Amino acid sequence: MEELKMFCYQCSQTARGTGCTIKGVCGKEPTVARLQDNLIYIIKGMSAYLYHARELGFTDAEIDVFLERALYATFTNVNFNVEDLVNLAIEAGKMNLKTMILLKEAHIKTYGEPEPTKVQIGTVKGPGILVTGHGLKALGELLKQTEGTGINVYTHSEMLPAHGYPELKKYKHLAGNLGKAWFDQKKLFTEFPGAILVTSNCALIPKEEYKDRMFTTGPVSLPEVKHIDGYDFTSVIEKAKSLPELEEKPGDIVLTTGFSKSVILSLAGKIKELVESGKIRHFFLVGGCDAPIKKDEYYREFVKLLPKDTIVLTLACGKFRFNDLDLGDIEGIPRLIDLGQCNDSIVAVDIAVALADLFGVGVNELPLSIILMWMEQKAVAILWSLLSLNIKGMYLGPILPAWVNDDILNVLQENYDIKLIGEPEEDIKNILG
């Protein structure tokens, strides 16, 4: 196979492989170029969170100023300093925490504090609209406009946690969730006979079978798909009415979502009692950005193999690898706790800090392990947010991000004890001792 080539935006040369691997006109070493790529990924992830907060009227000038400075640092022939670029990544991680806090505030003040909610899998009889992405603003506006029309609205992938917000779940025609992670779109959307609304990232180029009944809004644009500026979804509603009704097809499972920070903290006393009595041995945060590769089957096997005295916290689309499993509970505390979207990652951070305070230890001394699956820009931003908190011993998989070379990996391993996932049984054994 011919060796992959790409044009290096740093040095205006043709580079080989992934990222810059040659020292060209700009004089930048591969590690410098890779750290700049890393910073760009963080900025992209932060910008996605910030976009959704701004949709709901929430902004922060300090974040805006940092994004400007960080983006300028990735400009050609501006910053050649490896240590400075690493420090910028740590600062970006802190700013991403601030951004996620802003977005969470926007969601809660607009839609209420999430509460544990059971979500039906399957369809009910009548016209339907399927909503995918992360845009709660778009979903909320669609629910208002479809109320009383006889149209049922379904969520897909990262929209599942919407069912936990009081101001969204009050709509009785928010009928359930269909599908799993983002990459099942082409199969799911082909089979779904109704209209489809895409609200954010994780959109795939559509197939001919459904592009005429698909709509985009906000930042999304797809070939030959009608785009809606703003939040007037009349065309989506009219399309749904013109299409065949969905059949009554209840699913085999019911999912539970909506475990907010306040819900978990309301159980703090009980959790402390169960930990101190040995009935809860360990907590695992297992989640992240899923990918359609065989190695990601690791995460389902990992959760299935966990002992019954452990608790699994999960978020983002990675949860669809295992959130259909019935793990039971430990004296009323669910063993599988869905914290929400990747947009809700700050909830996991807040809970970890709260547990550390509860037990009077640092976060790294908690009986807590973080197992992250890895795919795109938001995952990079969240990783550096966790590193900015000096969290150590995290497991990453299924492969290293493309911007990591041996030098960067050595720094991550030496300073933060980053580990790559191996075999589920062996990793569990190493963690639990």
Side-chain angles (χ1 to χ4, degrees), residues 100 104 107 161 165 315 339-348:
M100 290 192 294
K104 194 63 191 173
H107 282 163
Y165 286 92
L315 45 72
L339 302 178
Q341 297 179 328
C342 72
N343 292 6
D344 299 311
S345 297
I346 191 62
V347 177

Side-chain angles (χ1 to χ4, degrees), residues 300-321:
R300 184 178 183 87
E301 191 64 21
F302 184 93
V303 170
K304 286 173 67 175
L305 289 172
L306 288 175
K308 293 184 178 180
D309 57 359
T310 60
I311 300 286
V312 178
L313 307 170
T314 189
L315 45 72
C317 65
K319 64 175 164 280
F320 286 104
R321 287 284 173 175

Side-chain angles (χ1 to χ4, degrees), residues 143-198:
L143 287 169
K144 289 179 190 176
Q145 294 170 39
T146 49
E147 189 172 25
T149 64
I151 296 173
N152 295 305
V153 176
Y154 302 86
T155 57
H156 169 248
S157 195
E158 291 274 46
M159 278 294 183
L160 169 65
H163 293 266
Y165 286 92
E167 289 302 308
L168 295 176
K169 74 175 191 173
K170 71 180 183 181
Y171 293 100
K172 302 304 181 186
H173 63 296
L174 182 59
N177 188 80
L178 303 176
K180 296 187 176 184
W182 60 273
F183 52 83
D184 71 4
Q185 288 175 36
K186 293 192 175 183
K187 182 177 185 297
L188 175 66
F189 293 178
T190 299
E191 296 171 350
F192 180 78
I196 302 161
L197 178 63
V198 187

Side-chain angles (χ1 to χ4, degrees), residues 283-286 363 368-372 386 391 393-396:
F283 297 87
F284 290 88
L285 175 60
V286 187
V363 172
L368 167 69
S369 296
I370 299 176
I371 320 295
L372 296 179
L386 295 172
I391 293 177
M394 291 182 284
Y395 282 72
L396 298 181

